[in-house]
Amino acid sequence: MTNVAVVGAQWGDEGKGKVVDWLSERADVVVRFQGGHNAGHTLVVNDAVYKLSLLPSGVVRGKLSVIGNGVVIDPWALFDEIDRVRAQGVDITPETLRIADNACLILPIHGELDRAREEAAGGGRIGTTGRGIGPAYEDKVARRAVRVCDLAEPETLRFKIDRLMTHHNALRKGLGATPLDGEKLFESLQALAPRFAPYVAPVWRVLDEARRAGKRILFEGAQGAMLDVEHGTYPYVTSSNTVSGQAAAGSGMGPGAVAYVLGITKAYTTRVGSGPFPTELFDSVGEGLGERGREFGTVTGRRRRCGWFDAVMVRQAIKVGGVDGIVLTKLDVLDGMDQLNVCVGYELDGQVLDHFPAGMDAQARVTPVYETMEGWADSTRGARTWADLPATAIKYIRRVEELIEAPVAILSTGPDREETILVHDPFAD
Ligand code: GDP
Ligand code: IMO
Ligand code: MG
């Protein structure tokens, strides 16, 4: 049985939620394996809009939804989201939602530290979502995090919080924040523990059982390859590995569990927050993309920066993420444009580069080399078959495939679940 990983191939917000929702009709289990509530995945099903941050997008169809060990969980945000999505009529029970016992928690101190650092950084800020993602992953790697399983062991919880407070109070002092004693945190986590308990499981075993029973597993990535802590535009990245290699480690399965990697790719480029963006547009063309594409962040409401499609960057994302095929999304946003530019190389100090360099200064200074293509006047919005597409749109897609060295497996022509064209079934591989 083929398991599929869905990962972002740009800077996030490529339409992963829509694609996971669409694919999950034929999957049995949907797993999140990294990130936290910095993610914002929007699903449009007829007239209903679901905005998910921590819950796997399979919950909407009632599929078994797993929050893997690689995710950092803010328990308060999680229960708020569960309440909000339940109020939309979605059934979420301990039978449909399983949370890894060995996942780490995001605590209020993490959000505070994230925001305090951003404020102190002034012009050098990363533009994080302020959700405490970075500080929580720091504590995880430093081996002092509070994990989900600690909620069931009061003595361990107290020990962990004491140790965490010693570290955080030193940091808080440096930032001019008042020191905290851990008692309030201990009490509020103790109060949450009974609500958490029914969902907690060794999810590696849940997944192993599902796999051996021949169930189909869909891995749902958050963010995108260029926000990966190693492969992205460091330090303007998130604090987790967002590439498909993380799907296995972040859920407790071996690398062979993922048979097909689907890279979600917008037909142009967007980015939220700071950092290099070679094809960014600062003119009315960029504004037009933002308006037609409704490019405002799901999580923070921030305006997304917009620019031309960057084939060099996507090709690199495809290589580092082992992407087998892409879903080209938001093609309809390009409708009505006379000409389209596609970045096919970068220029740096008189040299042409065929990849995105690793250095921070080089990343900031590269300028795009463009190939100009003809646009199309007709609408592709809501197209359900290849035959509905204008010839110039097909030409654009074919050129993109050539440049990124990967095929388009699925085409998305609108936000609704049904506004989708299947070219190659990723489950069939
Ligand atoms: P994610 O973070 O990758 O799940 O993406 P987001 O949900 O943050 O952002 C993608 C936005 O584009 C959402 O509002 C989707 O409803 C919308 N969307 C997805 N696919 C398409 C598409 O093909 N066309 C248009 N116009 N909108 C789309
Ligand atoms: P989805 O899953 C777009 C960006 C932030 C910031 C950087 C670091 O919806 O695609 P963080 O809070 O993670 O420490 O912020 O990463 N970022 C995203 N941008 N989509 C996301 O998620 C993002 N999650 C984080 O804007 O630049
Ligand atoms: Mg998003």
Side-chain angles (χ1 to χ4, degrees):
M1 193 61 77
T2 302
N3 299 325
V4 174
V6 169
V7 292
Q10 292 154 318
W11 276 294
D13 302 327
E14 301 92 345
K16 298 175 291 294
K18 171 191 161 156
V19 173
V20 171
D21 168 63
W22 188 79
L23 283 173
S24 70
E25 184 185 9
R26 289 178 298 135
D28 302 293
V29 188
V30 181
V31 194
R32 275 282 305 272
F33 56 87
Q34 47 72 230
H37 66 313
N38 49 347
H41 298 174
T42 311
L43 284 54
V44 183
V45 184
N46 300 320
D47 291 331
V49 179
Y50 302 91
K51 291 181 184 292
L52 305 175
S53 284
L54 266 168
L55 293 172
S57 296
V59 281
V60 173
R61 291 193 194 257
K63 300 292 173 164
L64 177 60
S65 298
V66 172
I67 298 182
N69 54 276
V71 175
V72 279
I73 305 169
D74 178 324
W76 296 274
L78 174 66
F79 286 113
D80 281 354
E81 186 174 329
I82 290 177
D83 291 343
R84 182 167 51 75
V85 176
R86 262 198 196 129
Q88 287 189 276
V90 176
D91 200 24
I92 302 170
T93 68
E95 278 69 53
T96 57
L97 177 66
R98 310 303 281 151
I99 301 172
D101 51 7
N102 53 350
C104 294
L105 298 184
I106 300 185
L107 302 171
I109 44 172
H110 295 128
E112 270 182 55
L113 181 58
D114 188 0
R115 294 185 293 272
R117 278 183 182 155
E118 285 285 275
E119 209 161 295
R125 72 174 68 93
I126 293 166
T128 71
T129 59
R131 299 295 195 263
I133 305 293
Y137 274 118
E138 285 169 36
D139 281 342
K140 168 181 171 168
V141 178
R143 298 165 290 190
R144 58 175 169 257
V146 175
R147 306 204 300 174
V148 170
C149 49
D150 299 335
L151 299 181
E153 294 183 10
E155 289 305 310
T156 310
L157 185 61
R158 197 177 281 282
F159 165 77
K160 290 268 192 92
I161 290 177
D162 283 350
R163 211 172 49 166
L164 199 59
M165 282 305 161
T166 308
H167 175 79
H168 274 267
N169 278 336
L171 283 178
R172 292 174 69 87
K173 203 169 160 196
L175 285 160
T178 49
L180 297 171
D181 84 59
E183 195 52 34
K184 214 174 121 207
L185 178 59
F186 176 76
E187 279 165 18
S188 53
L189 285 174
Q190 279 279 87
L192 263 177
R195 205 170 167 201
F196 237 107
Y199 299 97
V200 178
V203 301
W204 58 269
R205 201 167 64 194
V206 173
L207 294 171
D208 183 57
E209 281 165 8
R211 192 181 180 199
R212 282 189 289 115
K215 300 259 161 84
R216 250 182 201 160
I217 304 169
L218 197 51
F219 297 88
E220 178 178 10
Q223 292 83 52
M226 287 302 142
L227 287 170
D228 182 283
V229 68
E230 283 161 80
H231 299 291
T233 46
Y234 192 91
Y236 299 98
V237 291
T238 192
S239 295
S240 66
N241 283 113
T242 60
V243 294
S244 68
Q246 176 64 16
S251 61
M253 302 187 86
V258 182
Y260 191 96
V261 180
L262 201 49
I264 316 306
T265 312
K266 237 176 240 192
Y268 50 100
T269 313
T270 65
R271 165 161 216 177
V272 210
S274 330
F277 182 173
T279 63
E280 184 168 12
L281 289 163
F282 299 95
D283 56 9
S284 58
V285 178
E287 265 167 44
L289 289 173
E291 272 161 34
R292 288 194 305 281
R294 302 193 178 184
E295 298 295 355
F296 292 92
T298 316
V299 174
T300 56
R302 288 178 293 176
R303 183 187 282 275
R304 296 174 183 150
R305 299 154 65 191
C306 297
W308 295 117
F309 186 79
D310 188 337
V312 184
M313 198 164 295
V314 172
R315 183 169 63 223
Q316 194 158 325
I318 283 169
K319 308 289 179 195
V320 300
V323 170
D324 295 299
I326 69 158
V327 181
L328 193 66
T329 63
K330 303 190 103 163
L331 185 75
D332 54 294
V333 176
L334 301 181
D335 290 353
M337 297 179 79
D338 293 338
Q339 288 191 326
L340 301 167
N341 283 341
V342 174
C343 174
V344 296
Y346 301 120
E347 223 172 83
L348 182 68
D349 300 327
Q351 282 197 313
V352 176
L353 306 179
D354 65 355
H355 70 285
F356 198 50
M360 193 171 150
D361 177 62
Q363 288 191 349
R365 288 195 303 114
V366 293
T367 54
V369 177
Y370 285 123
E371 182 175 298
T372 302
M373 298 192 62
E374 199 187 328
W376 52 92
D378 301 337
S379 170
T380 65
R381 176 71 183 239
R384 309 282 168 104
T385 68
W386 206 253
D388 294 338
L389 301 173
T392 36
I394 293 175
K395 219 169 147 190
Y396 182 75
I397 298 166
R398 294 296 179 226
R399 184 65 183 138
V400 163
E401 287 179 316
E402 224 168 61
L403 290 167
I404 65 173
E405 297 174 14
V408 171
I410 297 171
L411 191 65
S412 174
T413 57
D416 195 274
R417 185 186 266 179
E418 303 304 330
E419 291 172 318
T420 307
I421 301 173
L422 179 65
V423 183
H424 171 80
D425 186 355
F427 286 129
D429 266 39

